[in-house]
């Protein structure tokens, strides 16, 4: 019935087109003013957490290893939605109230930090031990070897999975709508609540997400191809 109205009823076609046109700009604004900035901020913070966590996992200090393992285990072992709910809805019960924007930043950053730490740890471990030994042989300390030799090579290895993680985060930010943060998906919910065309509006939002992710995938491919020029074949 719904599809037949689209293809056979001119009045309904005009109505659906008006909804698509009128909702497009608010959705795009929601993406560029809220979804993308939230993604960039949380990914940057999460990346810092990921590097620190990965280094703690690789350190010889047992306490650091235990703290990092516990953090990663808790975050990876619980749903992101539950983490957001604990931060936004749960913490006020103990007197800690955080607005939706900062709640989303905290939740997504902690989540990204835990998952990306495993990517970075694996990238560091993938560097041959001979690189460490060669660095030590010319008088470098462990920190200097890590900074000047190991991390630059590990960065090249980690870029593809980290890029995938970033693209995944773009889509995951839609969960921020559940804690009343008005990103793009929240905008689509508000629009659909007014015109009751949920399938149409949500499909339009999905299309915009898809376009953004395709664009990011294209950039990812270009970056990887550029870096491949500096890798010995």
């Amino acid at each position: 019935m719904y599809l037949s109205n689209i293809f056979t009823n001119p009045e309904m076609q005009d109505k659906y087109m008006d909804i698509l046109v009128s909702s497009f700009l608010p959705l795009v604004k929601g993406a560029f003013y809220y979804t993308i900035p939230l993604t960039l901020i949380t990914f940057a913070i999460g990346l810092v957490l990921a590097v620190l966590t990965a280094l703690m996992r690789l350190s010889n200090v047992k306490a650091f290893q235990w703290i990092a393992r516990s953090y990663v285990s808790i975050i990876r072992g619980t749903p992101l939605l539950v983490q957001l709910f604990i931060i936004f809805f749960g913490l006020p019960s103990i007197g800690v109230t955080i607005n939706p924007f900062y709640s989303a930043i905290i939740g997504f950053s902690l989540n990204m930090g835990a998952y990306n730490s495993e990517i970075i740890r694996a990238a560091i471990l993938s560097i041959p031990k001979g690189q460490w030994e060669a660095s030590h042989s010319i008088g470098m300390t462990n920190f200097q070897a890590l900074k000047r030799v190991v991390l630059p090579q590990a960065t090249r290895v980690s870029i593809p999975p980290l890029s995938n993680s970033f693209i995944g985060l773009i889509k995951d930010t839609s969960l921020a709508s559940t804690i009343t943060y008005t990103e793009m998906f929240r905008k689509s919910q508000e629009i659909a609540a007014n015109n009751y065309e949920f399938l149409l509006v949500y499909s339009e939002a999905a299309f915009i997400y898809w376009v953004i992710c395709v664009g990011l995938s294209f950039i990812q491919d270009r970056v990887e191809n550029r870096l491949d020029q500096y890798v010995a074949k």
Side-chain angles (χ1 to χ4, degrees), residues 18 37 48 60 67 80 106 143 148 158 160 174 187 195 202:
D18 287 342
V48 173
N60 295 322
I67 292 171
L80 174 56
I106 293 171
F143 178 76
R148 299 177 183 178
S158 64
S174 61
K187 286 284 187 183
N195 56 39
Y202 289 165

Side-chain angles (χ1 to χ4, degrees), residues 19 40 50 101 114 131 135 137 148 154 175 184 220:
I19 292 173
L40 292 173
F101 178 65
Q131 297 289 319
S135 301
S137 69
R148 299 177 183 178
L175 292 175
M184 185 174 72
Q220 176 187 354

Side-chain angles (χ1 to χ4, degrees), residues 26-38 101 181-183:
L27 290 178
V28 171
K29 285 183 177 180
F32 283 93
Y33 291 171
Y34 300 100
T35 296
I36 293 178
L38 176 62
F101 178 65
Y181 179 65
T182 311
E183 43 68 67

Side-chain angles (χ1 to χ4, degrees), residues 11-57:
E11 292 183 1
M12 295 303 294
Q13 289 175 1
D14 291 339
K15 174 188 174 183
Y16 295 149
M17 184 57 65
D18 287 342
I19 292 173
L20 288 174
V21 172
S22 63
S23 61
F24 182 76
L25 188 57
L27 290 178
V28 171
K29 285 183 177 180
F32 283 93
Y33 291 171
Y34 300 100
T35 296
I36 293 178
L38 176 62
T39 303
L40 292 173
I41 293 171
T42 55
F43 189 81
I45 296 173
L47 193 58
V48 173
L49 286 174
V51 172
L52 292 176
T53 304
L55 294 179
M56 290 172 69
R57 287 285 302 272

Side-chain angles (χ1 to χ4, degrees), residues 5-224:
N5 285 335
I6 293 178
F7 293 110
T8 63
N9 191 325
E11 292 183 1
M12 295 303 294
Q13 289 175 1
D14 291 339
K15 174 188 174 183
Y16 295 149
M17 184 57 65
D18 287 342
I19 292 173
L20 288 174
V21 172
S22 63
S23 61
F24 182 76
L25 188 57
L27 290 178
V28 171
K29 285 183 177 180
F32 283 93
Y33 291 171
Y34 300 100
T35 296
I36 293 178
L38 176 62
T39 303
L40 292 173
I41 293 171
T42 55
F43 189 81
I45 296 173
L47 193 58
V48 173
L49 286 174
V51 172
L52 292 176
T53 304
L55 294 179
M56 290 172 69
R57 287 285 302 272
L58 295 171
S59 74
N60 295 322
V61 181
K62 295 296 183 181
F64 286 168
Q65 293 180 15
W66 183 86
I67 292 171
R69 286 177 181 274
S70 300
Y71 162 56
V72 172
S73 177
I74 291 171
I75 297 299
R76 295 182 67 187
T78 56
L80 174 56
L81 183 59
V82 174
Q83 296 163 18
L84 291 173
F85 271 46
I86 289 174
I87 294 168
F88 185 70
F89 295 111
L91 292 182
S93 64
I94 58 173
V96 180
T97 301
I98 307 174
N99 70 37
F101 178 65
Y102 290 111
S103 294
I105 287 179
I106 293 171
F108 289 123
S109 297
L110 290 174
N111 195 269
M112 283 293 99
Y115 278 92
N116 288 343
S117 70
E118 293 299 284
I119 294 174
I120 293 172
R121 185 172 70 92
I124 293 174
L125 291 174
S126 71
I127 306 304
K129 291 183 178 180
Q131 297 289 319
W132 291 94
E133 295 169 354
S135 301
H136 293 153
S137 69
I138 59 174
M140 287 189 184
T141 64
N142 282 336
F143 178 76
Q144 290 174 327
L146 180 68
K147 178 182 176 181
R148 299 177 183 178
V149 179
V150 176
L151 280 183
Q153 296 180 71
T155 298
R156 170 64 189 87
V157 175
S158 64
I159 281 179
L162 286 178
S163 299
N164 291 333
S165 178
F166 181 79
I167 293 173
L169 179 59
I170 284 279
K171 295 175 288 184
D172 288 342
T173 54
S174 61
L175 292 175
S177 64
T178 61
I179 58 172
T180 71
Y181 179 65
T182 311
E183 43 68 67
M184 185 174 72
F185 185 65
R186 181 73 176 183
K187 286 284 187 183
S188 70
Q189 290 179 313
E190 294 173 354
I191 295 170
N194 288 327
N195 56 39
Y196 298 102
E197 293 296 339
F198 296 97
L199 177 60
L200 189 66
V201 177
Y202 289 165
S203 297
E204 186 177 24
F207 174 76
I208 295 173
Y209 276 116
W210 176 72
V211 170
I212 293 172
C213 291
V214 168
L216 290 173
S217 297
F218 174 77
I219 295 173
Q220 176 187 354
D221 290 340
R222 294 295 297 271
V223 171
E224 290 180 20

